[in-house]
Amino acid sequence: MARKTANDDPLAPVTLAVGQEELLLDRAVQEVVAAAKASDADTDVRDLTPDQLQPGTLAELTSPSLFAERKVVVVRNAQDLSADTIKDVKAYLGAPAEEITLVLLHAGGAKGKGLLDAARKAGAREVACPKMTKPADRLAFVRQEFRAVGRSATPEACQALVDAIGSDLRELASAVSQLVADVEGTIDEAVVGRYYTGRAEASSFTVADRAVEGRAAEALEALRWSLSTGVAPVLITSALAQGVRAIGKLSSARGGRPADLARELGMPPWKIDRVRQQMRGWTPDGVAVALRAVAEADAGVKGGGDDPGYALEKAVVTIARAARSRGRG
């Protein structure tokens, strides 16, 4: 979810949206436009790309109008502006026009950092829109989406939705909206399963769950279905790594209540219970073997091998066998 500075007025003279998460960037723009139109229904909105904002264009767009109408000027990919245009924007930041809100969308990297620093120094309202690369971030996003509309969803339901949909925030937001519109009361894992069974079966985390449980045939079936529906191989290796590491972390931790272990290991309590069920049959040697298999698969899907599918199949089989190592011993 986007994070904002203390200045949280969407009608501030300048809003700086920083990051690479497209959904959050679009929402930052929508929030400003909605506030402007609520103040003046005839607000003029100009949404520009770097090639459309040439030297002198900003001065034309922000010049006083006979009708004094409110205006929102959105500049996307501001880090790609030409040097001359950046000079124009910096000059404008020193004396922003009344009734005009400038929204700068910046990727946040080293490119165009001078403009980024100038906007911050000028006191721009800032909205952080970081790319959500970690499953925990996407899980927090889903929870926030439900909270934002005043609806309750169980932790298991939120996790199931992330597992089913994957990393696309737009699809996650859309799924939350659909569930909220269609379902009354608390949304639980069973509800998510009814709506997204096909997606869940194709998810990378389903492949990982079946593998660490020693269910090789089911894991391979889920893997082949995932690949056939376009799930990226790197997402599957990531899920496999997370699954095996969770087994290793919990097996080496001291016994205790799920809440205590959750704090110690950085997992939600409900996941502690799930991993406890999955870790039956695992040995320390089995965890080591599985981690090596994941590392080899990761290298294979990132260019170290000719067939990513084969690399993943080999890893899944090895992990499933490792899950049964105690029984064979």
Side-chain angles (χ1 to χ4, degrees):
M1 60 229 98
R3 299 187 300 275
K4 302 168 186 174
T5 55
N7 175 14
D8 197 21
D9 180 7
L11 292 182
V14 180
T15 285
L16 179 64
V18 184
Q20 300 180 41
E21 191 59 70
E22 292 296 332
L23 174 65
L24 301 184
L25 290 168
D26 285 346
R27 285 185 173 181
V29 172
Q30 291 164 8
E31 182 183 27
V32 172
V33 171
K37 287 186 176 292
S39 176
D40 181 353
D42 295 325
T43 293
D44 181 18
V45 179
R46 304 294 180 93
D47 198 324
L48 307 171
T49 56
D51 61 301
Q52 294 173 313
L53 194 67
Q54 299 298 318
T57 304
L58 184 61
E60 293 177 10
L61 292 173
T62 58
S63 60
S65 167
L66 292 175
F67 304 101
E69 79 271 22
R70 180 172 288 281
K71 185 179 294 184
V72 175
V73 178
V74 180
V75 180
R76 297 184 182 271
N77 298 311
Q79 72 278 358
D80 295 331
L81 292 172
S82 68
D84 288 337
T85 302
I86 286 177
K87 289 179 182 178
D88 288 351
V89 177
K90 287 182 176 180
Y92 177 82
L93 292 173
E98 293 186 7
E99 300 299 311
I100 292 178
T101 298
L102 175 65
V103 184
L104 298 174
L105 276 58
H106 194 292
K111 187 177 183 181
K113 189 174 184 298
L115 177 58
L116 190 63
D117 293 341
R120 287 170 171 161
K121 186 176 181 180
R125 166 183 180 257
E126 185 168 344
V127 181
C129 306
K131 195 73 174 176
M132 294 191 181
T133 57
K134 298 179 180 178
D137 292 337
R138 295 191 287 273
L139 182 59
F141 171 79
V142 168
R143 289 172 175 164
Q144 178 58 34
E145 289 291 289
F146 281 117
R147 281 197 295 267
V149 292
R151 292 296 299 276
S152 296
T154 66
E156 294 84 358
C158 294
Q159 184 64 58
L161 198 59
V162 172
D163 290 350
I165 301 299
S167 60
D168 191 312
L169 287 200
R170 292 186 189 279
E171 291 195 26
L172 284 170
S174 176
V176 170
S177 297
Q178 180 179 9
L179 289 170
V180 167
D182 293 355
V183 180
E184 295 182 359
T186 300
I187 295 167
D188 58 20
E189 190 175 14
V191 170
V192 175
R194 287 200 302 272
Y195 272 74
Y196 298 102
T197 297
R199 297 290 293 272
E201 288 175 355
S203 78
S204 55
F205 287 99
T206 298
V207 177
D209 283 342
R210 299 297 86 80
V212 299
E213 291 162 4
R215 296 153 65 177
E218 293 178 41
L220 288 172
E221 181 181 359
L223 170 64
R224 290 160 186 157
W225 182 254
S226 295
L227 294 174
S228 71
T229 55
V231 176
V234 291
L235 294 180
I236 300 174
T237 55
S238 175
L240 290 171
Q242 290 181 53
V244 175
R245 286 177 188 143
I247 297 289
K249 288 167 68 174
L250 190 56
S251 62
S252 62
R254 296 179 179 178
R257 297 179 304 168
D260 295 331
L261 287 170
R263 285 190 294 270
E264 179 184 344
L265 302 178
M267 299 179 190
W270 64 265
K271 188 170 184 179
I272 296 291
D273 292 333
R274 175 181 289 181
V275 176
R276 272 178 168 166
Q277 295 175 354
Q278 293 175 333
M279 63 187 286
R280 296 166 185 164
W282 281 91
T283 65
D285 287 344
V287 172
V289 168
L291 287 174
R292 285 196 296 271
V294 172
E296 291 173 2
D298 189 56
V301 303
K302 291 179 179 177
D306 296 328
D307 188 344
Y310 173 74
L312 287 168
E313 287 186 3
K314 183 179 177 181
V316 163
V317 171
T318 301
I319 292 169
R321 287 176 178 170
R324 300 301 182 197
S325 56
R326 190 184 301 276
R328 293 198 306 272

